[in-house]
């Protein structure tokens, strides 16, 4: 399977640079995965597509202000780092730019010495392990010095950093937002629950895979980066009983999808679980838990386009994306949404 099979043309002006004033007013393309039929709605209409007894799986991860700007102590050179994975109380795996200047032993100062990082190791893909020194609480220092790590295709400054968090974000640890969830308001979620739809809350901390393109031509050769996930007994019970009652498990976003599909046994049964996942879902994959998906529009040739193609078929997805381009939908993180039913 060739990576080029997942290419589509996207005019640059359709990449959303700013979030909408009202989260739920974004557009919603509804795609029937069996027939390929397309309907154009608004996100607040999603409630009409959810039935009593269905369950929504939400990723409660919270984005940390993971981008830090510092200077190399010996030369004063500007260094940018992105925190990816916490390895211990004081050590993180980081993406460092420019990496060539940051060999093992290099010392980087942030905020005039409020935070000091020493590179202790170079690991997979050139990422660095940085050991931090600081007085006080790391999260508070990060809140003061760090900025939201917006994807590279967003060039505008984010005025309100809460707009890059879901309204239900709770567990800190992500380097990027689970963007399908950005469309929900507290009011919409309340109406959904009042209709008899249950909410199963899981966590997957979104990592480097979000930023890295597929660099191999054969899809089968691509290796996903590992991301930490957690499913509580309560969430597992909600999902299991939904399946047992013949109702639908509807994942909000590809991160929730990867969480439940990673944790399920061969029969689609879930138990309380946490760990690391490298699951790569592409056409040919048989879903064990997920029945329907709320998602955003994804980058051409990305693993996320492959995931939605596994659910709805490559031809249906590419046709839906062409239709979205023609109808001038807004794309990517702050863009419009799609419901694959």
């Amino acid at each position: 399977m060739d990576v080029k099979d997942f290419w589509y043309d996207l005019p640059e002006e359709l990449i959303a640079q700013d979030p909408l004033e009202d989260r739920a007013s974004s557009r919603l393309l509804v795609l029937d995965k069996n027939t390929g039929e397309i309907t154009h709605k608004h996100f607040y209409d999603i409630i009409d597509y959810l039935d009593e007894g269905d369950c929504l799986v939400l990723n409660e991860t919270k984005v940390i202000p993971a981008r830090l700007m510092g200077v190399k102590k010996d030369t004063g050179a500007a260094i940018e780092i992105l925190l990816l994975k916490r390895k211990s109380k004081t050590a993180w795996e980081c993406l460092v730019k420019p990496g060539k200047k940051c060999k093992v032993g290099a010392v980087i100062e942030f905020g005039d010495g409020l935070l000091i990082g020493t590179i202790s190791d170079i690991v997979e893909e050139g990422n660095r392990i940085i050991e931090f020194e600081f007085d006080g609480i790391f999260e508070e220092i990060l809140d003061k010095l760090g900025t939201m790590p917006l994807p590279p295709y967003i060039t505008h400054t984010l005025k309100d950093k809460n707009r890059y968090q879901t309204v239900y974000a709770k567990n800190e640890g992500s380097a990027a937002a689970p963007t399908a969830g950005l469309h929900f308001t507290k009011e919409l979620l309340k109406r959904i629950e009042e209709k008899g739809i249950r909410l199963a809350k899981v966590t997957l901390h979104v990592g480097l895979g979000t930023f890295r393109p597929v660099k191999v031509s054969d899809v089968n050769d691509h290796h996903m980066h590992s991301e930490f996930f957690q499913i509580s007994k309560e969430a597992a019970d909600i999902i299991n009983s939904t399946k047992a009652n013949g109702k639908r498990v509807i994942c909000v976003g590809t991160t929730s999808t990867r969480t439940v599909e990673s944790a399920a046994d061969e029969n689609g049964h879930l138990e309380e679980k946490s760990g690391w996942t490298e699951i790569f879902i592409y056409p040919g994959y048989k879903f064990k838990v997920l029945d329907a998906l709320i998602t955003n529009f994804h980058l051409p040739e990305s693993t996320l386009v492959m995931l939605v193609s596994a659910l709805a078929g490559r031809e249906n997805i590419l046709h839906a994306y062409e239709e979205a381009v023609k109808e001038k939908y807004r794309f990517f993180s702050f863009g419009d949404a799609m419901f694959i039913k």
Side-chain angles (χ1 to χ4, degrees):
M1 199 180 308
D2 199 301
V3 145
K4 292 187 178 66
D5 293 339
F6 300 91
W7 174 260
Y8 68 91
D9 285 314
L10 179 70
E12 199 174 319
E13 64 268 19
L14 295 185
I15 299 173
Q17 292 296 326
D18 302 289
L20 294 179
E21 188 93 9
D22 172 19
R23 291 173 181 260
S25 66
S26 53
R27 294 167 76 189
L28 179 69
L29 186 149
V30 181
L31 172 65
D32 186 312
K33 65 179 184 280
N34 298 313
T35 66
E37 183 187 355
I38 290 169
T39 313
H40 300 289
K41 295 285 185 177
H42 284 91
F43 194 79
Y44 47 71
D45 297 317
I46 191 71
I47 194 165
D48 299 333
Y49 292 91
L50 308 177
D51 301 324
E52 186 179 348
D54 287 345
C55 122
L56 279 184
V57 184
L58 308 175
N59 183 4
E60 284 190 309
T61 191
K62 190 171 189 179
V63 187
I64 58 173
R67 180 165 275 131
L68 287 161
M69 305 302 295
V71 293
K72 197 155 172 273
K73 193 173 180 183
D74 57 351
T75 65
I79 304 292
E80 177 185 338
I81 74 162
L82 180 65
L83 303 174
L84 297 172
K85 285 182 202 164
R86 191 168 209 156
K87 308 300 275 188
S88 71
K89 280 189 176 179
T90 55
W92 284 78
E93 182 177 337
C94 305
L95 185 63
V96 178
K97 287 199 260 183
K100 286 178 184 172
K101 293 184 177 177
C102 293
K103 296 181 167 59
V104 171
V107 178
I108 307 162
E109 292 188 335
F110 307 91
D112 296 323
L114 195 61
L115 184 66
I116 295 170
T118 303
I119 294 174
S120 62
D121 199 5
I122 299 173
V123 291
E124 187 187 5
E125 303 257 358
N127 293 344
R128 268 61 173 171
I129 303 295
I130 299 182
E131 190 75 43
F132 289 103
E133 296 170 56
F134 50 90
D135 290 323
I137 298 167
F138 182 79
E139 286 75 15
E140 289 180 0
I141 293 169
L142 193 60
D143 214 37
K144 193 179 286 184
L145 301 181
T147 57
M148 282 298 181
L150 294 178
Y153 48 74
I154 294 177
T155 57
H156 291 192
T157 304
L158 183 62
K159 291 169 188 167
D160 175 8
K161 65 181 182 183
N162 285 326
R163 288 302 275 106
Y164 196 55
Q165 303 278 18
T166 62
V167 296
Y168 47 81
K170 184 180 171 187
N171 304 317
E172 293 191 333
S174 270
T179 54
L182 295 179
H183 304 280
F184 285 96
T185 62
K186 287 181 177 175
E187 295 74 22
L188 180 55
L189 283 170
K190 188 180 175 203
R191 286 174 54 218
I192 285 169
E193 284 193 280
E194 285 169 350
K195 190 177 175 181
I197 291 100
R198 301 171 78 190
L199 305 181
K201 295 172 180 177
V202 302
T203 295
L204 181 137
H205 292 319
V206 189
L208 185 63
T210 300
F211 297 93
R212 282 262 159 89
V214 178
K215 293 177 179 174
V216 292
S217 56
D218 187 342
V219 169
N220 298 291
D221 295 335
H222 179 68
H223 173 66
M224 293 286 280
H225 287 78
S226 62
E227 293 168 312
F228 181 78
F229 74 89
Q230 205 160 12
I231 296 180
S232 65
K233 183 180 185 306
E234 182 188 7
D237 289 347
I238 290 171
I239 293 166
N240 290 336
S241 63
T242 301
K243 298 295 277 188
N245 293 332
K247 296 295 185 176
R248 295 176 303 166
V249 172
I250 300 159
C251 288
V252 177
T254 56
T255 60
S256 299
T257 303
R258 294 178 67 243
T259 302
V260 298
E261 292 295 322
S262 295
D265 66 17
E266 288 176 13
N267 301 312
H269 183 80
L270 289 167
E271 290 184 5
E272 182 177 1
K273 192 172 185 181
S274 66
W276 296 84
T277 178
E278 296 177 353
I279 192 170
F280 179 23
I281 296 174
Y282 55 91
Y285 180 84
K286 301 293 180 207
F287 288 90
K288 297 175 287 188
V289 181
L290 171 129
D291 297 300
L293 174 65
I294 296 168
T295 187
N296 277 20
F297 293 93
H298 305 293
L299 287 156
E301 297 183 347
S302 65
T303 59
L304 305 181
V305 166
M306 296 169 195
L307 185 152
V308 295
S309 296
L311 179 62
R314 188 180 69 91
E315 293 80 7
N316 283 346
I317 288 294
L318 291 181
H319 177 247
Y321 273 52
E322 282 169 23
E323 185 74 11
V325 168
K326 192 172 82 180
E327 295 294 325
K328 300 202 181 313
Y329 274 67
R330 301 163 74 250
F331 277 67
F332 307 154
S333 297
F334 287 141
D336 295 316
M338 177 189 252
F339 179 47
I340 303 174
K341 68 184 182 78

